[in-house]
């Protein structure tokens, strides 16, 4: 029998958590899986025992010297302490050079000035990787840039493709505005399937499987690890709030009081004052894994723990928390799944601009103004709307079964 080959493309540590269980499941069934793990996802994949590749492993598919020179020029301000600089250099140089080759120097410079790396869509490069690996199926997460380019390159070659979604398919989601979709899209729940169908994505493409990334929440030992964290911090008997914050990107309604780190730091200061005033509470500060290094440390306190998200696993911290506070983050959904109170900062420009409010979705409580945050912490909470939740059982074998079907097994 011909060896089956699957190519996975995923960005960031959270997205690796989606594909890793499926890769391991398929490998156990004899499928050869190749993982292109991008930026923060590379270290996470290695921590999970996978053998990922990065952009640096495919320099033989491009003009090496040209792309490395390009990447070096762009590296300043586009590096991260948890991403190897050489990998960032390769990523930036390959993507930018693809613009130059396709559109010329002037247009490439314009695109960079207008959108930076967020505008990348390396169709040619992803096509070369696919041609080299010759997979029977291409699988990606629902992110733009490299992931979407991999799907589009596969479609161009009539290679079966699958996109794994972890979010809700709300009207703001740029994924809905793609012109090209995978042959199959696995989604979290019937709620998400309805949202995709409302955006004119055909029902025949959509399979409700749940998302493998959320299975780890219920793995044996995770709740115990959360209790062990409380024990180590001396927080038994306290009410623990997690602030899972992120930067506010430029956009409508963003003011100096909310832009960049401003909103998140204001929230942290309010929560620190709450801790100072109440000896029965504690605070866990966890900024986004791609952004935490931008935020200053506001000082040590015995009932405040500042997480390093690329080192501290999220799931035990969620289990250790009673209340989780978010802007627009899947951390809020994960908290709701294991029965934690979720507060959604609905005054956040990000939340307003993309209408990503857990209160509106029935999964948490909306906090309308900064001054309402601390009073809300003393509230009773609400029962989440389970219509958004995934179906019972494990998502991994369901997604793996869809992949097998796409490969003709």
């Amino acid at each position: 029998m011909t060896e089956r080959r699957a190519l996975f493309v995923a960005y960031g540590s959270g997205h690796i958590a989606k594909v890793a269980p499926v890769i391991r499941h398929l490998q156990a069934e004899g499928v050869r899986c190749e993982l292109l793990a991008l930026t923060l996802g590379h270290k996470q994949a290695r921590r999970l025992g996978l053998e990922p590749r990065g952009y640096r492993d495919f320099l033989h598919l491009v003009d090496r010297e040209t792309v490395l020179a390009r990447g070096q020029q762009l590296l300043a301000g586009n590096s991260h302490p948890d991403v190897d600089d050489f990998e960032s250099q390769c990523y930036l140089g390959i993507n930018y050079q693809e613009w130059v080759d396709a559109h010329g120097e002037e247009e490439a410079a314009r695109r960079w000035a207008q959108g930076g790396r967020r505008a990348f869509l390396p169709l040619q490069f992803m096509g070369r990787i696919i041609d080299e690996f010759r997979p029977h199926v291409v699988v990606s997460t629902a992110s733009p840039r490299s992931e979407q380019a991999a799907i589009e390159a596969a479609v161009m070659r009539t290679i079966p493709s699958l996109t794994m979604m972890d979010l809700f398919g709300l009207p703001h989601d740029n994924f809905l505005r793609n012109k090209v979709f995978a042959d199959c899209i696995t989604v979290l729940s019937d709620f998400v399937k309805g949202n995709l169908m409302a955006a004119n994505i055909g029902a025949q493409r959509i399979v409700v499987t749940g998302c493998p990334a959320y299975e780890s929440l219920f793995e044996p030992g995770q709740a115990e690890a959360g209790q062990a964290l409380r024990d180590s911090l001396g927080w038994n008997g306290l009410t623990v709030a997690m602030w899972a914050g992120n930067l506010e990107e430029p956009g409508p309604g963003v003011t100096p009081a909310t832009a960049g780190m401003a909103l998140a730091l204001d929230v942290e200061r309010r929560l620190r004052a709450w801790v100072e005033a109440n000896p029965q509470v504690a605070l866990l500060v966890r900024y986004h894994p791609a952004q935490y290094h931008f935020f200053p440390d506001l000082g040590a306190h015995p009932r405040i723990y500042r997480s390093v998200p690329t080192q501290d696993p999220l799931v035990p911290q969620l289990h250790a928390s009673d209340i989780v506070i978010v802007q627009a983050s899947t951390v809020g959904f994960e908290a709701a799944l294991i029965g934690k109170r979720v507060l959604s900062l609905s005054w956040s420009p990000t939340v307003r601009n993309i209408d990503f409010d857990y209160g509106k979705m029935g999964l948490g409580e909306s906090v309308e103004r900064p001054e309402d945050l601390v009073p809300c912490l003393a509230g009773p909470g609400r029962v989440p709307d389970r219509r958004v939740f995934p179906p019972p059982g494990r998502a991994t074998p369901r997604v793996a079964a869809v992949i097998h079907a796409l490969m003709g097994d």
Side-chain angles (χ1 to χ4, degrees):
M1 180 178 176
T2 303
E3 179 188 55
R4 292 301 193 185
R5 298 183 300 276
L7 174 63
F8 287 77
V9 184
Y11 161 89
S13 55
H15 289 196
I16 296 299
K18 303 174 186 65
V19 302
V22 179
I23 290 173
R24 286 194 289 263
H25 188 102
L26 291 172
Q27 287 174 331
E29 296 176 332
V31 178
R32 179 185 166 194
C33 297
E34 192 80 38
L35 171 61
L36 181 56
L38 307 172
T39 62
L40 292 172
H42 202 85
K43 284 189 176 180
Q44 175 68 355
R46 291 201 177 279
R47 280 194 289 266
L48 293 174
L50 302 175
E51 297 181 2
R53 294 202 193 189
Y55 265 68
R56 66 191 302 161
D57 297 303
F58 296 97
L59 287 171
H60 59 281
L61 300 179
V62 296
D63 184 330
R64 178 188 177 97
E65 297 307 317
T66 299
V67 300
L68 290 180
R70 292 280 187 194
Q72 187 61 44
Q73 293 169 359
L74 301 171
L75 190 58
N78 286 287
S79 60
H80 188 284
D82 298 301
V83 181
D84 178 78
D85 274 352
F86 186 63
E87 175 66 13
S88 294
Q89 182 182 355
C90 295
Y91 172 78
L92 293 165
I94 288 171
N95 276 274
Y96 191 93
Q97 188 60 38
E98 186 158 315
W99 279 344
V100 173
D101 292 342
H103 308 290
E105 293 280 1
E106 185 175 338
E107 176 63 13
R110 187 195 69 79
R111 292 185 179 209
W112 178 257
Q114 186 176 59
R117 57 188 174 83
R118 290 181 176 83
F120 288 152
L121 187 70
L123 277 170
Q124 298 303 316
F125 180 66
M126 285 296 156
R128 292 180 192 132
I129 293 176
I130 290 171
D131 291 340
E132 177 168 279
F133 186 54
R134 295 182 294 117
H136 294 93
V137 64
V138 174
V139 183
S140 83
T141 55
S143 294
R145 303 192 288 280
S146 296
E147 294 92 320
Q148 179 61 20
I151 294 298
E152 294 192 19
V155 170
M156 290 168 62
R157 289 160 173 77
T158 66
I159 295 172
S161 56
L162 181 146
T163 295
M164 295 171 59
M165 285 195 73
D166 65 325
L167 289 177
F168 309 110
L170 299 174
H172 77 274
D173 196 330
N174 285 328
F175 177 78
L176 304 180
R177 284 174 272 284
N178 287 335
K179 303 299 183 185
V180 177
F181 292 97
D183 298 303
C184 184
I185 304 168
T186 57
V187 299
L188 185 65
S189 63
D190 285 319
F191 171 82
V192 182
K193 181 176 181 178
N195 289 340
L196 267 59
M197 291 173 61
N200 296 316
I201 298 175
Q204 75 280 0
R205 294 183 189 269
I206 309 167
V207 182
V208 178
T209 59
C211 178
Y214 302 134
E215 292 174 351
S216 63
L217 293 165
F218 306 100
E219 288 176 352
Q222 294 286 21
E224 291 79 3
Q227 183 59 52
L229 177 59
R230 275 181 173 257
D231 293 343
S232 69
L233 294 170
W235 290 0
N236 280 325
L238 303 184
T239 297
V240 178
M242 175 193 287
W243 166 219
N246 53 263
L247 299 172
E248 290 285 338
E249 303 290 349
V254 176
T255 66
T258 57
M261 294 183 287
L263 183 147
L265 289 176
D266 178 62
V267 169
E268 182 180 342
R269 291 186 181 102
R270 291 174 186 273
L271 293 171
R272 283 174 170 268
W274 172 67
V275 170
E276 288 283 2
N278 188 343
Q280 298 303 310
V281 303
L283 174 65
L284 198 160
V285 179
R286 183 186 175 94
Y287 288 115
H288 190 284
Q291 302 170 354
Y292 76 93
H293 58 295
F294 294 126
F295 289 89
D297 189 336
L298 298 187
H301 189 284
R303 286 181 284 113
I304 299 175
Y305 179 76
R306 180 183 167 94
S307 174
V308 179
T310 54
Q311 299 175 14
D312 300 333
L314 170 63
V315 175
Q317 292 182 344
L318 284 172
H319 279 285
S321 302
D322 300 293
I323 307 167
V324 176
I325 305 156
V326 295
Q327 293 143 283
S329 168
T330 55
V331 172
F333 184 62
E334 292 172 273
L337 284 175
I338 57 173
K340 307 298 181 179
R341 278 187 70 198
V342 178
L343 300 185
S344 181
L345 305 185
S346 56
W347 81 82
S348 154
T350 298
V351 173
R352 290 181 176 179
N353 291 339
I354 64 177
D355 200 22
F356 195 108
D357 189 327
Y358 285 110
K360 290 183 179 179
M361 283 187 272
L363 296 173
E365 303 149 69
S366 300
V367 184
E368 301 292 340
R369 303 176 303 165
E371 54 268 32
D372 295 334
L373 175 59
V374 170
C376 279
L377 291 167
R382 67 184 292 182
V383 177
D385 185 346
R386 298 190 64 86
R387 291 178 299 175
V388 186
F389 281 22
R394 295 182 61 229
T396 294
R398 296 181 187 131
V399 175
V402 174
I403 292 172
H404 277 296
L406 287 169
M407 292 190 295
D409 296 346

